[in-house]
Amino acid sequence: MAATERRCRDCGCTDLRACPGGCSWVDADLCSSCAAAAGPGAESAMAVVVRQRLLIAGSSIKLSRTEAVVMQVLVAAPDCLVEVDALHAAMYPGSKPPSRESNVLQVLVSRLRRKLAAAGHKHAIETIRLRGYRFVMPQGGVA
């Protein structure tokens, strides 16, 4: 295991060896599969992307495949800047991402914001001008 590779404290999955069916990181040492298994009280305090659904504060939001990829990257780094290049790399693995002038990512983030606002989480994604985005999940799970 590489020094920077994460490991789930519950099931032991890693960045390179995900849970069966896939998982993402909801905390530095907790995967989405284990967080979902922790029960309804636990999931209300976090956001998790599972199979093109965003589970946030007790609600479930349906996402497109690309929206799920972007949300998974943002949720994995709560309250941290996620650079545009990192989001493009996740959206276009193994191929050349669009130029920084392309508005594909902005359109996706706009759609995600609309879906989050409809579920009562109006300010969950912040724009860091010319750099990227930040997923904001205040205490108590209400964004």
PDB file of all heavy atoms in Angstrom, residues 38-46:
ATOM      1  N   ALA A  38     -23.702   2.091   8.681  1.00  0.00           N
ATOM      2  CA  ALA A  38     -23.722   2.573  10.062  1.00  0.00           C
ATOM      3  C   ALA A  38     -25.119   2.944  10.529  1.00  0.00           C
ATOM      4  O   ALA A  38     -25.365   3.084  11.711  1.00  0.00           O
ATOM      5  CB  ALA A  38     -22.789   3.774  10.220  1.00  0.00           C
ATOM      6  N   GLY A  39     -26.042   3.100   9.594  1.00  0.00           N
ATOM      7  CA  GLY A  39     -27.426   3.359   9.978  1.00  0.00           C
ATOM      8  C   GLY A  39     -27.904   4.742   9.640  1.00  0.00           C
ATOM      9  O   GLY A  39     -27.140   5.610   9.233  1.00  0.00           O
ATOM     10  N   PRO A  40     -29.221   4.969   9.820  1.00  0.00           N
ATOM     11  CA  PRO A  40     -29.827   6.231   9.423  1.00  0.00           C
ATOM     12  C   PRO A  40     -29.316   7.431  10.188  1.00  0.00           C
ATOM     13  O   PRO A  40     -29.231   8.499   9.655  1.00  0.00           O
ATOM     14  CB  PRO A  40     -31.325   6.009   9.661  1.00  0.00           C
ATOM     15  CG  PRO A  40     -31.430   4.793  10.508  1.00  0.00           C
ATOM     16  CD  PRO A  40     -30.156   4.031  10.357  1.00  0.00           C
ATOM     17  N   GLY A  41     -28.966   7.275  11.437  1.00  0.00           N
ATOM     18  CA  GLY A  41     -28.456   8.408  12.207  1.00  0.00           C
ATOM     19  C   GLY A  41     -27.125   8.894  11.690  1.00  0.00           C
ATOM     20  O   GLY A  41     -26.838  10.071  11.662  1.00  0.00           O
ATOM     21  N   ALA A  42     -26.294   7.962  11.242  1.00  0.00           N
ATOM     22  CA  ALA A  42     -24.971   8.318  10.748  1.00  0.00           C
ATOM     23  C   ALA A  42     -25.056   9.024   9.413  1.00  0.00           C
ATOM     24  O   ALA A  42     -24.363   9.993   9.166  1.00  0.00           O
ATOM     25  CB  ALA A  42     -24.110   7.065  10.629  1.00  0.00           C
ATOM     26  N   GLU A  43     -25.915   8.554   8.510  1.00  0.00           N
ATOM     27  CA  GLU A  43     -25.967   9.153   7.180  1.00  0.00           C
ATOM     28  C   GLU A  43     -26.584  10.536   7.190  1.00  0.00           C
ATOM     29  O   GLU A  43     -26.376  11.325   6.290  1.00  0.00           O
ATOM     30  CB  GLU A  43     -26.672   8.243   6.189  1.00  0.00           C
ATOM     31  CG  GLU A  43     -28.143   8.104   6.391  1.00  0.00           C
ATOM     32  CD  GLU A  43     -28.760   7.044   5.488  1.00  0.00           C
ATOM     33  OE1 GLU A  43     -28.118   6.068   5.174  1.00  0.00           O
ATOM     34  OE2 GLU A  43     -29.933   7.246   5.121  1.00  0.00           O
ATOM     35  N   SER A  44     -27.340  10.896   8.214  1.00  0.00           N
ATOM     36  CA  SER A  44     -27.925  12.231   8.254  1.00  0.00           C
ATOM     37  C   SER A  44     -26.883  13.293   8.550  1.00  0.00           C
ATOM     38  O   SER A  44     -27.123  14.462   8.341  1.00  0.00           O
ATOM     39  CB  SER A  44     -29.045  12.293   9.295  1.00  0.00           C
ATOM     40  OG  SER A  44     -28.509  12.160  10.587  1.00  0.00           O
ATOM     41  N   ALA A  45     -25.717  12.884   9.026  1.00  0.00           N
ATOM     42  CA  ALA A  45     -24.673  13.842   9.357  1.00  0.00           C
ATOM     43  C   ALA A  45     -23.596  13.921   8.289  1.00  0.00           C
ATOM     44  O   ALA A  45     -22.558  14.495   8.510  1.00  0.00           O
ATOM     45  CB  ALA A  45     -24.053  13.468  10.693  1.00  0.00           C
ATOM     46  N   MET A  46     -23.827  13.286   7.133  1.00  0.00           N
ATOM     47  CA  MET A  46     -22.808  13.293   6.096  1.00  0.00           C
ATOM     48  C   MET A  46     -23.440  13.228   4.724  1.00  0.00           C
ATOM     49  O   MET A  46     -24.641  13.056   4.595  1.00  0.00           O
ATOM     50  CB  MET A  46     -21.856  12.117   6.298  1.00  0.00           C
ATOM     51  CG  MET A  46     -22.521  10.758   6.157  1.00  0.00           C
ATOM     52  SD  MET A  46     -21.419   9.394   6.471  1.00  0.00           S
ATOM     53  CE  MET A  46     -21.267   9.489   8.233  1.00  0.00           C
TER      54      MET A  46
END
